[in-house]
Amino acid sequence: MNDADPGIFGTRTVTWQMHADPMMWVAGVRALYLQALHPRAVRGVTQNSDFRKDAWGRLLRTADFVGVLTYGTTEEAERAGARVRGIHSRITATDPETGETYGVGEPGLLLWVHCAEVASYLEVQRRSGYPLSDAQADRYVDEQRRSARLVGLDPADVPATTGGLDAYFHRIRPELAASAEAAEVDDFLRRPPVPALLVPARAVLWRQIAALAYDSLPPYAHDLYGRPAPPAATVDHRLRATGRLLRAVPARLRRRIPPRRIETAMARLGPGSRPDPRRLPGRPAILDPPGRART
């Protein structure tokens, strides 16, 4: 029996399986587009970091934070959460129109960031063909309240189902707008600064990812940004095609991409901890040759 620490989620969660899927990169960019539409939240980023000069570093640190919370030990996840809470407690943003200064760690702002992430992860994964049932989607939303606690939210105040998530977005929509800061984030995501040698790669690879992430936004987000999106069926087709392409890359190769959180977790917990959509909670047990049940 392996008594190693499985972390705050563990191998028997939807989170453990789904967060290893390569479409999470597209989902993460979608989350950034969506988060930027809350004027008070996006100011916390633009006024407190020079994200244009450290664009890739910021994106990778965000991805690593999700990786630590998902696949790190309990101590590592708690430490990462404490670090984020500490940063949020020290920095403020200022409304340029009213002069109001407010803390970026306000619960309402943290809740927006959390819900935009969770909704984006679910939306992209399900539309790209990741095999989540409605019950598993609800379970995922509930599991993510563990992450919400680590950034400073009371889990009781965080949506626990997809229906609760939908209700939250209905309530928050009057507060959303395409501010000047949102336009800045939009411009950055479409054309992030890169060294001259990487400009062709940006045009070929990144532009496709950013465009797909943007196109998968909800209709009200397109209205706010002021750019039309293709029909939903066209976006779904592109998401599924991209999902098939990325998932065709062997998982053992994807796990070697830094910071290799999944690989480290498997070394800690054993090969049976390998993320796989066939191990989603609620699916029938399947057999690993030569006849060992895996769930």
Side-chain angles (χ1 to χ4, degrees), residues 6 32-33 43 48 64 83-84 141 148 153 166 171 186-187 189 206 257 262 269:
L32 295 176
Y33 270 118
R43 286 188 205 111
N48 288 282
D64 189 42
R83 185 164 56 250
V84 168
V141 175
L153 287 165
D166 289 343
R171 292 195 305 271
D186 177 30
D187 182 62
L189 289 174
W206 177 261
I257 298 175
I262 299 172
L269 299 170

Side-chain angles (χ1 to χ4, degrees), residues 5-155:
D5 178 14
I8 67 170
F9 290 106
T11 62
R12 296 183 179 273
T13 61
V14 175
T15 298
W16 187 276
Q17 312 307 333
M18 193 180 86
H19 280 190
D21 189 84
M23 286 298 287
M24 285 290 289
W25 287 98
V26 177
V29 177
R30 181 194 192 268
L32 295 176
Y33 270 118
L34 190 55
Q35 288 165 348
L37 290 175
H38 194 300
R40 290 172 67 87
V42 72
R43 286 188 205 111
V45 175
T46 59
Q47 294 184 10
N48 288 282
S49 66
D50 194 349
F51 67 92
R52 282 191 167 276
K53 290 186 177 179
D54 188 27
W56 300 110
R58 183 178 181 85
L59 288 172
L60 290 175
R61 285 192 296 273
T62 300
D64 189 42
F65 179 71
V66 175
V68 170
L69 265 55
T70 306
Y71 300 110
T73 64
T74 301
E75 180 183 356
E76 289 171 336
E78 294 284 354
R79 189 164 58 243
R83 185 164 56 250
V84 168
R85 294 195 304 273
I87 293 171
H88 287 166
S89 71
R90 294 191 298 271
I91 61 178
T92 61
T94 301
D95 186 323
E97 294 184 2
T98 67
E100 175 199 7
T101 297
Y102 55 91
V104 301
E106 288 182 354
L109 302 184
L110 297 178
L111 183 60
W112 165 252
V113 170
H114 172 84
C115 290
E117 286 180 354
V118 171
S120 292
Y121 297 164
L122 270 181
E123 182 79 1
V124 167
Q125 292 289 22
R126 300 190 82 182
R127 293 175 68 183
S128 68
Y130 193 84
L132 281 185
S133 67
D134 290 346
Q136 289 165 338
D138 280 339
R139 181 167 178 165
Y140 175 75
V141 175
D142 187 36
E143 290 170 3
Q144 286 304 298
R145 296 196 295 165
R146 304 176 202 179
S147 296
R149 176 186 65 80
L150 289 183
V151 299
L153 287 165
D154 182 345

Side-chain angles (χ1 to χ4, degrees), residues 131 136 276-288 293-295:
Q136 289 165 338
D276 190 316
R278 292 172 295 181
R279 296 178 174 180
L280 283 165
R283 291 178 63 89
I286 59 178
L287 295 178
D288 261 342
R294 85 182 175 194
T295 59

Side-chain angles (χ1 to χ4, degrees), residues 195-213:
L197 290 177
L198 294 180
V199 169
R202 180 182 66 182
V204 174
L205 298 175
W206 177 261
R207 187 171 297 172
Q208 300 302 316
I209 292 174
L212 185 57

Side-chain angles (χ1 to χ4, degrees), residues 244-281:
R244 286 193 297 269
L245 178 65
L246 294 180
R247 291 164 188 145
V249 178
R252 67 180 181 277
L253 297 180
R254 301 197 308 262
R255 290 195 295 266
R256 293 176 184 172
I257 298 175
R260 305 174 78 160
R261 294 290 178 184
I262 299 172
E263 197 172 65
T264 301
M266 288 175 59
R268 183 175 81 248
L269 299 170
S273 64
R274 182 181 73 250
D276 190 316
R278 292 172 295 181
R279 296 178 174 180
L280 283 165

